[in-house]
Amino acid sequence: MIGKRMQDTINEQIKHELESAYLYLAMVAYFRAEGLDGMATWMEVQTQEEVAHAMRFFNHINERGGRVELRALAQPQKDWPSPLEAFKAAYAHEQFITGTINDLLKVADEENDNPAKIMLQWFVSEQVEEEDAAKKIVDLLTRVGDSGHGLIMVDRELGTRKAAPASGEGEAE
Ligand code: FEO
């Protein structure tokens, strides 16, 4: 059975993951309003991934006889000054999430909770991919600068992102 401290920390992480989904969904709305449908599609897939992340933690608590507790989500920002600023915010958010995964690992270590440690290994690799994906788009948009043509090209490219399989496996991209 999962210990109380580990359970509390994972419940807080479920909130962080759902807040990530909420933030990226706000970005979907922003990109749609800006007519950048490719970026909106990319963020829509990202939103689904974040829900899948939350469910991994949700299922972990349930599988170990614990009790999931859903917490209030913070209202996300509505607008960004530019697509570049939106992706910069996404990159910063992923860095924040990496920090929360590291904190979880610390708790799992202190609690000598091996199942949690094993479960968290997937997230360690996932965060490397999450940060890398966001950083690459930030770099691309920085290079594009004020070029309208460049922005359209990036938008088209990001629109090719495919949704993860329903199993939740392989959602990292
Ligand atoms: Fe759930 Fe994007 O980290």
Side-chain angles (χ1 to χ4, degrees):
M1 186 160 179
I2 193 165
K4 186 174 181 323
R5 184 177 173 219
M6 196 73 242
Q7 175 177 292
D8 281 349
T9 318
I10 295 178
N11 271 322
E12 188 63 13
Q13 189 66 22
I14 291 173
K15 184 188 84 152
H16 289 318
E17 298 292 346
L18 290 176
E19 276 182 346
S20 305
Y22 221 30
L23 172 66
Y24 296 146
L25 193 57
M27 290 182 181
V28 173
Y30 162 70
F31 287 130
R32 289 267 180 240
E34 294 292 310
L36 294 163
D37 287 335
M39 294 186 192
T41 296
W42 194 95
M43 275 299 169
E44 224 172 295
V45 176
Q46 191 63 29
T47 300
Q48 290 161 3
E49 282 197 8
E50 298 304 346
V51 174
H53 293 172
M55 288 312 296
R56 276 183 183 252
F57 287 115
F58 188 104
N59 292 335
H60 185 81
I61 289 179
N62 283 326
E63 283 165 6
R64 298 183 62 203
R67 185 69 166 91
V68 169
E69 178 187 275
L70 297 178
R71 298 176 180 174
L73 305 182
Q75 182 173 351
Q77 197 172 322
K78 185 183 170 199
D79 284 305
W80 286 267
S82 66
L84 172 60
E85 290 305 318
F87 275 99
K88 274 187 186 172
Y91 179 43
H93 185 75
E94 287 304 329
Q95 289 175 304
F96 164 74
I97 292 294
T98 299
T100 65
I101 297 292
N102 289 336
D103 291 345
L104 272 164
L105 268 167
K106 194 161 172 280
V107 173
D109 202 39
E110 286 167 6
E111 297 293 307
N112 204 16
D113 186 330
N114 287 321
K117 277 195 235 176
I118 291 167
M119 180 270 296
L120 287 165
Q121 286 311 311
W122 183 88
F123 281 96
V124 171
S125 309
E126 173 71 356
Q127 280 313 117
V128 172
E129 292 186 29
E130 292 276 81
E131 285 195 31
D132 182 52
K135 170 87 164 58
K136 278 187 175 137
I137 299 170
V138 167
D139 290 348
L140 210 55
L141 288 172
T142 302
R143 230 175 303 141
V144 159
D146 292 332
S147 160
H149 181 69
L151 194 65
I152 289 167
M153 297 295 281
V154 174
D155 187 58
R156 201 169 290 168
E157 170 65 23
L158 294 184
T160 62
R161 186 178 185 186
K162 299 278 183 294
S167 67
E169 293 302 323
E171 66 260 37
E173 248 181 67

